[in-house]
Amino acid sequence: MKDLQNKAIEVLNNNWKDGFSVPCANLYPFQWFWDSGFIAIGFAHFDMPKAEKEIETLLDSQWDNGFLPHIIFHTDTDTYFPGPDFHRSDLSAQASKKYKSTGMTQPPVTGFVLQDMYRISTDKKATLKFIESVIDKVYFNHEYFYTNRDPKNEGLVYIYHNWESGTDNSPIWDDIWETMNPPEYTFERRDTTHVDASQRPSKREYDHYLYIIDIAKEHNYKDEKIAELSPFLVQDPLFNSMLIKSNQSLIDLYQLIGGHDAKVSQLQKWQDKAVKSFNDKLFDSELGVYVHYDLRNEKPLRFISSSSFSPLFANIPSKEQAASLVNVMMEKFGNDNQYLCASFDPTSDRFNPKKYWRGPVWVNLNWALYYGLKNYGYMDIAKRVKADTVEIIEKAGFYEYFDSRKEVYKDGNAGYGGNDFSWSAALLIDMLQDN
Ligand code: GLC
């Protein structure tokens, strides 16, 4: 285990770029929002100054309205598409003047990452001081979400692009693509020069992704216009779970710091409303899990994915609901010839065990599931999630995503996408430290 941990440390150190980390060399050459958060948790175990710098740089990209972008383009490189010239964050009057970025965001992990850094720290006083210096920016980011991303005032925020979900090409979005007919774009893909095309989204899927960005750009990334016009407008259980988990962390941390009663009470209001709406609206009692809701077409997207179980991480389900999630997970995703936890329902005909978010296991979702299961006292299953995560990395390497079918590991590589991937290393380090 020591060897694996040392290798993980090496991966993180190699992906460090003097102020921030790349998710992996070549395929993703910039700073990504939720990657940075997970990476900081890894660094916190062996190099707290880097963990702090990672978060500082991320928060330094904040826009005037509190928004945090999903990619910060620190360098000019033409090895990534779509890059800064396509996204054109400068169209927004509120964008950072210091960094070029995208005009979309990613799951808001920063609140709970700060609390994890505090949990891990061996010098709590110094870490709390660091947290005090950045926490208001994270609060401002939550204020942005509840003010601009919740048009019906439900306590649930929307995402306007599949790349905001973090689960980029989940089969859940297929239903939305069917409602659209984007133009055929001419562009040169860069991802497929680094990774086998069978593991990445198709060209036609990319047309949809680009078209949604074009609509947002046409309106200079104004949230009211996006809410009115974007063909993609979804309340995502994973995204909202991350926000709710982060709300709670901000409450806990502000209380630890002391003297922030107004912010704590505002956060508590957001939190109570969010948790109630989440359970009322996103729990599908027939399927026994949480599902996405398509706000544009006013209908639930009734599919089971690893996002369906993520509310465990944020203490959202009741005991009964948690039991139901665990049952469904073990029945569909957890038999003996599968590693936990596939990203999409292995019994569905949309399941593809090799393709990005259409089936493979991802370490960040496993990490959240591990802590979520522990929250609810499912110790044995939590242990299995951890053991499975260690085993796939041991067998395949620090890949971006992994096959969930055990038999595939016998004859060759079952790790897919980029290799030496930062969050796979970072979150493995964290799980190995936890008992
Ligand atoms: C992929 C993933 C996304 C991640 C990014 C960088 O686009 O889908 O979640 O943030 O890669 O690692």
Side-chain angles (χ1 to χ4, degrees):
M1 229 38 97
K2 259 264 137 327
D3 282 357
L4 200 61
Q5 177 142 334
N6 287 339
K7 174 76 178 99
I9 291 174
E10 198 184 309
V11 168
L12 284 185
N13 281 332
N14 287 340
N15 288 339
W16 173 255
K17 298 284 169 221
D18 197 22
F20 71 97
S21 301
V22 295
C24 75
N26 303 324
L27 183 60
Y28 303 120
F30 312 106
Q31 184 177 21
W32 263 255
F33 181 171
W34 75 330
D35 296 69
S36 261
F38 295 130
I39 290 164
I41 292 173
F43 271 131
H45 284 280
F46 66 98
D47 191 339
M48 193 57 95
K50 279 194 185 135
E52 292 179 356
K53 188 71 192 147
E54 183 82 47
I55 295 300
E56 259 169 11
T57 307
L58 172 70
L59 293 174
D60 198 32
S61 73
Q62 189 160 47
W63 291 16
D64 293 345
N65 57 354
F67 173 89
L68 288 171
H70 112 286
I71 305 176
I72 307 161
F73 298 111
H74 289 283
T75 49
D76 282 324
T77 158
D78 61 0
T79 60
Y80 185 84
F81 178 83
D85 298 343
F86 187 87
H87 286 283
R88 293 281 317 273
S89 54
D90 59 297
L91 290 171
S92 165
Q94 295 181 300
S96 161
K97 308 287 176 283
K98 189 165 170 187
Y99 302 102
K100 293 178 184 174
S101 74
T102 58
M104 67 177 84
T105 190
Q106 256 190 337
V109 297
T110 336
F112 72 74
V113 168
L114 291 181
Q115 193 170 29
D116 281 324
M117 286 168 66
Y118 185 74
R119 157 178 66 85
I120 296 161
S121 172
T122 51
D123 183 350
K124 305 272 188 225
K125 218 169 138 199
T127 304
L128 196 60
K129 213 159 168 233
F130 164 74
I131 292 170
E132 223 178 317
S133 72
V134 294
I135 191 170
D136 287 347
K137 292 188 179 176
V138 183
Y139 178 89
F140 188 27
N141 184 235
H142 287 216
E143 194 171 41
Y144 160 80
F145 279 119
Y146 289 114
T147 314
N148 298 292
R149 295 288 191 112
D150 183 14
K152 294 189 182 158
N153 205 9
E154 296 174 278
L156 298 174
V157 306
Y158 70 71
I159 53 174
Y160 82 86
H161 196 289
N162 51 307
W163 286 341
E164 290 199 316
S165 69
T167 59
D168 297 13
N169 72 330
S170 168
I172 295 162
W173 317 135
D174 294 1
D175 281 25
I176 300 177
W177 309 145
E178 275 168 26
T179 69
M180 294 169 58
N181 188 19
E184 300 239 356
Y185 284 80
T186 314
F187 60 92
E188 202 183 323
R189 286 277 286 275
R190 297 304 183 150
D191 55 332
T192 42
T193 58
H194 307 296
V195 169
D196 189 312
S198 68
Q199 298 165 20
R200 298 284 306 179
S202 69
K203 154 82 172 62
R204 191 61 186 143
E205 281 172 309
Y206 258 80
D207 289 338
H208 294 84
Y209 307 166
L210 300 179
Y211 183 55
I212 306 170
I213 298 171
D214 268 345
I215 295 171
K217 276 158 64 180
E218 222 172 90
H219 299 281
N220 301 325
Y221 290 113
K222 285 208 180 84
D223 291 302
E224 329 69 85
K225 282 296 184 193
I226 290 173
E228 192 188 322
L229 298 167
S230 176
F232 188 112
L233 213 67
V234 171
Q235 289 166 324
D236 179 326
L238 173 63
F239 195 98
N240 279 278
S241 289
M242 297 276 155
L243 184 58
I244 288 170
K245 177 78 175 174
S246 284
N247 279 338
Q248 190 55 52
S249 294
L250 292 185
I251 292 171
D252 297 346
L253 291 171
Y254 271 130
Q255 281 174 339
L256 210 56
I257 294 165
H260 291 276
D261 294 354
K263 286 193 178 115
V264 168
S265 104
Q266 178 59 71
L267 282 159
Q268 196 60 58
K269 275 191 205 139
W270 287 328
Q271 187 72 331
D272 293 343
K273 192 166 175 175
V275 171
K276 182 168 187 324
S277 287
F278 198 114
N279 279 320
D280 289 349
K281 192 169 183 183
L282 304 183
F283 190 74
D284 185 315
S285 41
E286 250 173 65
L287 294 177
V289 298
Y290 294 90
V291 297
H292 297 64
Y293 189 85
D294 178 349
L295 261 189
R296 173 59 65 235
N297 302 296
E298 286 292 1
K299 60 168 197 177
L301 298 166
R302 304 189 62 236
F303 297 99
I304 305 171
S305 65
S306 49
S307 302
S308 301
F309 312 125
S310 61
L312 292 167
F313 176 62
N315 281 311
I316 294 166
S318 65
K319 272 207 164 100
E320 294 71 32
Q321 286 168 319
S324 166
L325 299 185
V326 171
N327 267 339
V328 173
M329 183 176 88
M330 293 314 284
E331 222 170 74
K332 288 181 181 284
F333 296 62
N335 70 45
D336 287 347
N337 44 35
Q338 283 168 311
Y339 287 114
L340 285 170
C341 176
S343 47
F344 193 72
D345 182 354
T347 65
S348 159
D349 53 11
R350 292 188 184 182
F351 175 74
N352 179 336
K354 288 190 168 182
K355 202 161 191 166
Y356 215 28
W357 290 95
R358 302 184 72 91
V361 177
W362 288 74
V363 172
N364 62 335
L365 268 290
N366 269 15
W367 175 85
L369 191 58
Y370 168 70
Y371 283 108
L373 289 163
K374 279 182 69 174
N375 276 343
Y376 283 84
Y378 291 97
M379 296 307 180
D380 290 347
I381 307 176
K383 271 192 202 145
R384 168 152 169 216
V385 171
K386 176 172 167 176
D388 283 4
T389 311
V390 173
E391 196 170 315
I392 55 179
I393 294 176
E394 260 179 339
K395 288 192 164 159
F398 285 92
Y399 270 90
E400 186 182 4
Y401 38 102
F402 300 85
D403 212 300
S404 61
R405 299 165 303 169
K406 288 191 178 168
E407 85 258 13
V408 179
Y409 286 73
K410 283 188 219 116
D411 24 70
N413 200 353
Y416 307 129
N419 195 359
D420 289 340
F421 191 74
S422 298
W423 82 40
S424 300
L427 298 177
L428 178 89
I429 294 173
D430 187 62
M431 277 198 263
L432 286 179
Q433 297 301 319
D434 191 77
N435 295 306

